[in-house]
Amino acid sequence: MRHQRTTPTLDAGEIDKMRSVGRLAASVLEMIGEHVQPGATTEDLDRICHEYIVGELGCVPAPLNYSASAGQTPFPKSICTSVNHVVCHGIPTTKKVLRNGDAMNIDVTIIKDGYHGDTSKMFLIGKPNVLARRLSAVTQECLYRGIAEVRPGAHIGNIGHAIQRHAESHRFSVVREFCGHGIGAKFHDEPQILHYGKRNDGIVLKPGMAFTIEPMINAGKRHVKILPDEWTVVTKDHKLSAQWEHTLLVTEDGVEVLTLREEELGWLEQAPTATNASLAVSA
Ligand code: MF3
Ligand code: CO
Ligand code: CO
């Protein structure tokens, strides 16, 4: 029983719904790119995404009014916008005007037919300095290296190990307080996907499991703090942080990236066990 509770798997009907919502979540990140410009506020981006998610896609933005724990102030917006030293869960606001040189994560989670798709990427505004560009690129590589470990029979610790090894080889650090998560009818389900760890540690992956990988990688020390708004997570040393996220499905022989964007197809070709049915279906 315990085993079943910690490793939920999806049936064929649920997998279809996850493919569908994953594809739509990816489309939000594709849609918003042209609006990410110097002078835009993060509130502008929230409004555009909200209208697209609700009006065009007929979906529900999962962050809006979400509470992670009983008593926590509900999240007030539809997307998370995390700029520069903000690690994650940044709240869109009219006060945050994007400037040339900023690096921002936009994190989108939407619900369709009761199932969740969760994905995020970094946007570079104008031309950030070389450190910001390197941190963003290495964090994206961390995500892909984590995904490349996903297949039936692999231990969950292999994912975190691959991510930590890559980040630390570039002398960056891995945030430990937040992790990837099982996803489906619930936004945040078992198992926890740590972004650090040891090979052959933890549960064994099985076909039908769906979860996110969402490494948060810091340029300085790994430590973070939460602001008094109860949501915004920042680096303690105020140095830069980056994050990239996908929702994944463990298949019979590898992994399917449910939230893959068209711009990532080149990467998919290099990854031996990865497939993407959602793009194949939409093509
Ligand atoms: N999308 C985030 C994740 O990857 C969670 C955001 S919760 C919110 O798990 F309330 F801050 F939006
Ligand atoms: Co997530
Ligand atoms: Co997310």
Side-chain angles (χ1 to χ4, degrees):
M1 283 313 284
R2 188 178 172 276
H3 189 62
Q4 280 199 344
R5 198 171 66 241
T6 54
T7 62
T9 55
L10 303 177
D11 66 28
E14 293 178 300
I15 288 169
D16 277 349
K17 289 178 182 170
M18 289 297 287
R19 286 192 176 120
S20 169
V21 73
R23 181 163 69 233
L24 297 180
S27 82
V28 179
L29 291 178
E30 291 179 327
M31 176 281 300
I32 199 62
E34 66 178 279
H35 301 282
V36 179
Q37 297 285 352
T41 68
T42 52
E43 155 98 15
D44 293 332
L45 302 175
D46 177 73
R47 192 193 61 250
I48 295 164
C49 286
H50 181 93
E51 284 170 7
Y52 180 79
I53 290 164
V54 174
E56 299 285 320
L57 303 182
C59 293
V60 173
L64 188 59
N65 297 318
Y66 178 77
S67 297
S69 55
Q72 186 186 25
T73 304
F75 193 81
K77 297 288 177 177
S78 295
I79 60 171
C80 299
T81 49
S82 303
V83 182
N84 297 336
H85 72 293
V86 179
V87 174
C88 63
H89 304 167
I91 301 174
T93 164
T94 54
K95 290 191 202 122
K96 187 68 206 173
V97 182
L98 296 175
R99 298 288 177 217
N100 184 25
D102 286 340
M104 170 182 57
N105 174 279
I106 297 184
D107 193 337
V108 168
T109 311
I110 61 174
I111 310 169
K112 187 193 179 197
D113 290 339
Y115 286 80
H116 291 74
D118 187 5
T119 185
S120 79
K121 66 170 278 189
M122 296 299 295
F123 292 89
L124 303 179
I125 292 96
K127 195 167 183 198
N129 65 29
V130 66
L131 174 65
R133 300 202 306 271
R134 247 178 16 93
L135 179 66
S136 175
V138 168
T139 305
Q140 186 176 21
E141 290 160 11
C142 283
L143 171 59
Y144 292 156
R145 283 175 184 239
I147 294 171
E149 297 293 331
V150 178
R151 69 191 70 124
H155 285 266
I156 216 162
N158 300 5
I159 299 169
H161 177 78
I163 291 168
Q164 180 178 17
R165 189 187 151 99
H166 191 57
E168 292 179 354
S169 78
H170 289 268
R171 309 188 66 235
F172 296 143
S173 63
V174 178
V175 172
R176 307 232 173 172
E177 288 81 356
F178 299 89
C179 57
H181 48 92
I183 185 167
K186 281 177 72 177
F187 188 169
H188 294 112
D189 206 346
E190 299 296 331
Q192 292 195 355
I193 308 292
L194 304 182
H195 302 120
Y196 59 94
K198 297 195 180 75
R199 285 199 76 75
N200 299 324
D201 240 26
I203 64 161
V204 171
L205 300 177
K206 290 195 292 192
M209 290 177 66
F211 54 82
T212 70
I213 301 178
E214 47 184 296
M216 283 143 274
I217 306 296
N218 293 350
K221 295 209 161 56
R222 68 175 178 82
H223 302 98
V224 301
K225 64 180 184 191
I226 300 180
L227 297 187
D229 65 22
E230 298 182 28
W231 281 105
T232 310
V233 180
V234 299
T235 54
K236 265 196 183 156
D237 59 15
H238 278 220
K239 293 190 177 167
L240 291 177
S241 187
Q243 182 177 27
W244 292 75
E245 176 176 23
H246 273 310
T247 296
L248 311 160
L249 173 73
V250 183
T251 61
E252 293 298 328
D253 50 9
V255 59
E256 194 172 306
V257 185
L258 299 177
T259 48
L260 199 75
R261 298 177 304 282
E262 209 153 314
E263 67 190 7
E264 299 178 288
L265 283 174
W267 171 74
L268 192 65
E269 276 156 26
Q270 295 167 25
T273 66
T275 58
N276 184 276
S278 62
L279 277 179
V281 170
S282 64

